[in-house]
Structure formats: C-alpha cells, structure tokens
Amino acid sequence: TPSTAIAPTAPRPVMELAALRGKAGDAAGAFDMLGELARTTPIAIPLLARPLVAGLVFNAVLVVTHAPVTVDNLRTNQFGSFGLDVAWLLSGLLLWLPVCGPLEELKPSLPARGVYLFLAAGLVPMIPGGFLTFSETPLYAIYELAPRVNDFDALDDQQAAGAIMKIGAGVMAGFRDTL
C-alpha cells in the first residue's frame, strides 16, 4: 500500500518496522512484533532487555524523575510532563521485558525472576516513597502552587502518593515468588 512504502535507502530498522506494521492487532501480536523486531535489531533491545541493564535503567529513571529539581523544572509545562510520563512508561516496559517479554533467551530462571523483581522493582521505589511519605514539607514547589482538586493540601497529597509508592513496592516484593 502507498502508506507503507519505504524508500529503498531507508535505514534497516525503519524498513523492518514498516514490514511489521499491521501485525500488532492485539497484545499478543504486539509482543510477537516486539520480539521479531528485537531479534533483528543489532544491539539496542537485546542489550536493554537484560535484567541487570533493565533494572538499572528503570531505577535510574525512577530516582532522577522524582528529584525535586527534575519535577519542579519539567512539570511546569505539558511537554515536560509528557516527557516524564513517557520516561516512566518506557522504563516500566523495560523493567518487565526480562520477565514477560518475547525474548525467551533473555528471560532469567523462575527463581531469578523473583530476585530480579524484588531488587529492581521492590527496594529502590521505597526510597523516594519514604522521602515523600515522611517529609514534613512538600518536596516539590510546583505542587504547592498547583490548584487542589480535593480536600488534600500539597503535603497530604505528597504523603499519600509516597505511601502508595512504598506500599506498592512492598506488595511487589511480597508477590515476587508468584511469578
């Protein structure tokens, strides 16, 4: 079709994406497409899908995006907020790629998956969650200025978010053996 025509000089990944287009009609198709693309991509996805790399990238994104300087500078406009959301989404997908991704050769053994999830998704998220929960003042100036949509003031809202992060990480760590 004209919409999928790619110039013969287009980079190989672009041509492969065009060839795979339309195969991802559902979630299974999307995972199959990702697996097929990952196997044909020279370095990027297979390298990032390794448990150590994925865990480190996820946690680095988590810590950096929860730093007050990052939040106060990026949440001031929609593009910065979108950038944070995209970083969280992509790092979250990357975190789960070694556990339930399409590349069987990169999946750790079942007990190793539990250890990976405990360390990568259980421990580090508790750190910013603890700061948010137990802080006596709001960490983010931008949240202090934001209009309230409920009866929570900025500190109550921050502490509730931190508690959810801390409890959510604890629940994740508690269910690590079920995967």
Side-chain angles (χ1 to χ4, degrees):
T1 65
S3 65
T4 59
I6 300 293
T9 59
R12 186 175 145 219
V14 173
M15 294 176 70
E16 290 169 359
L17 275 174
L20 293 172
R21 189 173 153 194
K23 292 184 182 179
D26 56 6
F31 268 117
D32 290 344
M33 183 180 80
L34 181 61
E36 192 172 331
L37 181 63
R39 282 182 193 81
T40 60
T41 303
I43 296 173
I45 294 176
L47 173 68
L48 290 173
R50 298 192 182 284
L52 179 63
V53 176
L56 289 174
V57 169
F58 170 78
N59 284 299
V61 167
L62 181 82
V63 169
V64 168
T65 59
H66 281 82
V69 67
T70 305
V71 173
D72 286 338
N73 286 311
L74 291 180
R75 287 284 181 202
T76 58
N77 63 63
Q78 290 179 339
F79 294 112
S81 290
F82 180 74
L84 285 174
D85 293 343
V86 168
W88 289 331
L89 175 67
L90 293 178
S91 67
L93 289 172
L94 185 62
L95 171 76
W96 285 97
L97 202 54
V99 176
C100 57
L103 299 174
E104 291 296 327
E105 61 272 16
L106 295 180
K107 286 185 182 179
S109 66
L110 197 55
R113 288 181 207 175
V115 171
Y116 165 73
L117 287 174
F118 175 72
L119 294 175
L123 292 180
V124 176
M126 289 184 177
I127 296 169
F131 280 108
L132 292 170
T133 303
F134 300 115
S135 175
E136 295 182 10
T137 60
L139 295 178
Y140 309 120
I142 192 77
Y143 284 173
E144 289 184 89
L145 303 173
R148 304 279 56 111
V149 293
N150 53 28
D151 292 333
F152 285 175
D153 64 8
L155 181 60
D156 291 338
D157 186 48
Q158 171 187 294
Q159 289 174 335
I164 290 169
M165 263 182 98
K166 211 163 166 46
I167 292 168
V171 167
M172 176 63 66
F175 286 117
R176 69 184 180 272
D177 296 329
T178 62
L179 296 173

